[in-house]
Amino acid sequence: MPRFNRLLITGAAGNLGRVLREGLAPLATTLRLTDRADMGEAAPHEEIMPAELGDFDAIMEIVGGCDAIVHFGAAPMERPWAEVLESSIKGGYHVYEAARRHGIRRIVYASSIHAVGYVRREEGADTDTPHRPDSLYGVSKCFVEDLASMYFHKFGIESALLRINSCFPEPADRRHLATWMSFRDLMQLVEKCLVAERIGHCVIYGISDNRERFFSNDKVRHVGYMPRDSAEDYRAQVEAATEPGDPFAAGVEFVGGVFCEFGHPDD
């Protein structure tokens, strides 16, 4: 029997949104999907409602009647400030405020490694590590993490804030040997966050069971996430295809990788 009557996925046209659209279908009688991009045709168990996250009235309508939200919609990479502000920062507020007004009690949010991108590899981080954003994209993730904290403590909306590392079908470079997350592990993590009896306001690193991972999820074992996949299965092919980087280059020194080498996107 489905856990939810209606589950909302924002960013449903994105690379990870498409994965969740398929993987989370058994959890809900109806999946409500929103994005500003084309989402294709609705399956019999789906509702498609295109919208801009910056449009509060549209988000209010979309959130109505839902039981929980998987919020993966936002500017997908480093983008000009105006786009980050509209889709990621205003959009994050609109989703949380609409959830409050409609009585929704749980949100799973796609945060990012880039919220702590200026942590050095050798320092490592856990779920209490303070923000060190490496980009405007990372700043927007920090904003929504803090927004979620306020909405939890003031209004009782639980949030799982997934600091997703590098979620792709396979690791593509040496950094991914530490940061890779499989699609199967992503689906498991989101599902665990939706169905756990209590999550509170918690940060969880979206990583598979990689030997070289930079981050620890030891403080959020209550969610029950146990990754099944590992970048170790791809080590030989990755090392054969890519040379080691300069350990003093910002993209290697810091966990945010190449984002730490970007300039300002409006320049």
Side-chain angles (χ1 to χ4, degrees), residues 3 5 8 39 62 122 131 256:
R3 179 66 176 264
N5 178 43
L8 173 61
M39 293 171 277
I62 287 168
E122 65 271 23
H131 292 153

Side-chain angles (χ1 to χ4, degrees), residues 124-222:
D126 66 17
T127 50
D128 290 333
T129 297
H131 292 153
R132 292 192 212 170
D134 56 23
S135 52
L136 295 179
Y137 174 80
V139 168
S140 73
K141 300 302 185 181
C142 295
F143 172 81
V144 180
E145 287 189 9
D146 288 344
L147 184 76
S149 177
M150 189 272 283
Y151 271 84
F152 173 63
H153 291 103
K154 189 177 289 288
F155 303 118
I157 298 175
E158 292 188 290
S159 288
L161 309 164
L162 312 184
R163 288 184 182 162
I164 296 170
N165 283 212
S166 306
C167 195
F168 299 104
E170 296 181 359
D173 58 34
R174 290 180 181 242
R175 178 174 169 273
H176 285 181
L177 294 174
T179 63
W180 182 64
M181 184 184 203
S182 70
F183 288 163
R184 180 169 69 163
D185 283 340
L186 172 69
M187 287 189 292
Q188 183 213 155
L189 176 56
V190 173
E191 180 174 348
K192 293 290 187 184
C193 292
L194 287 169
V195 304
E197 185 173 31
R198 176 183 169 86
I199 58 173
H201 170 269
C202 64
V203 167
I204 307 174
Y205 289 99
I207 46 175
S208 287
D209 189 23
N210 307 327
R211 189 179 75 192
E212 294 182 9
R213 59 188 179 273
F214 305 140
F215 306 111
S216 169
N217 280 325
D218 284 349
K219 295 179 181 178
V220 286
R221 291 184 179 273
H222 67 286

Side-chain angles (χ1 to χ4, degrees), residues 11-21 35 72 76 167-169 183 186:
N15 291 334
L16 302 187
R18 291 195 298 270
V19 171
L20 296 175
R21 180 177 177 176
D35 204 303
F72 273 54
C167 195
F168 299 104
F183 288 163
L186 172 69

Side-chain angles (χ1 to χ4, degrees), residues 47-107:
E47 298 172 341
I48 288 181
M49 300 179 67
E52 295 280 351
L53 288 168
D55 183 341
F56 180 65
D57 291 338
I59 298 305
M60 275 292 291
E61 179 182 358
I62 287 168
V63 169
C66 295
D67 305 311
I69 300 172
V70 178
H71 180 32
F72 273 54
M77 291 284 287
E78 182 71 327
R79 303 294 299 164
W81 167 245
E83 184 175 340
V84 172
L85 176 63
E86 194 68 18
S87 64
S88 303
I89 293 180
K90 288 184 179 179
Y93 173 76
H94 292 165
V95 167
Y96 270 88
E97 179 56 12
R100 182 186 74 84
R101 296 190 190 188
H102 285 293
I104 292 175
R105 310 301 293 175
R106 186 167 295 189
I107 296 174

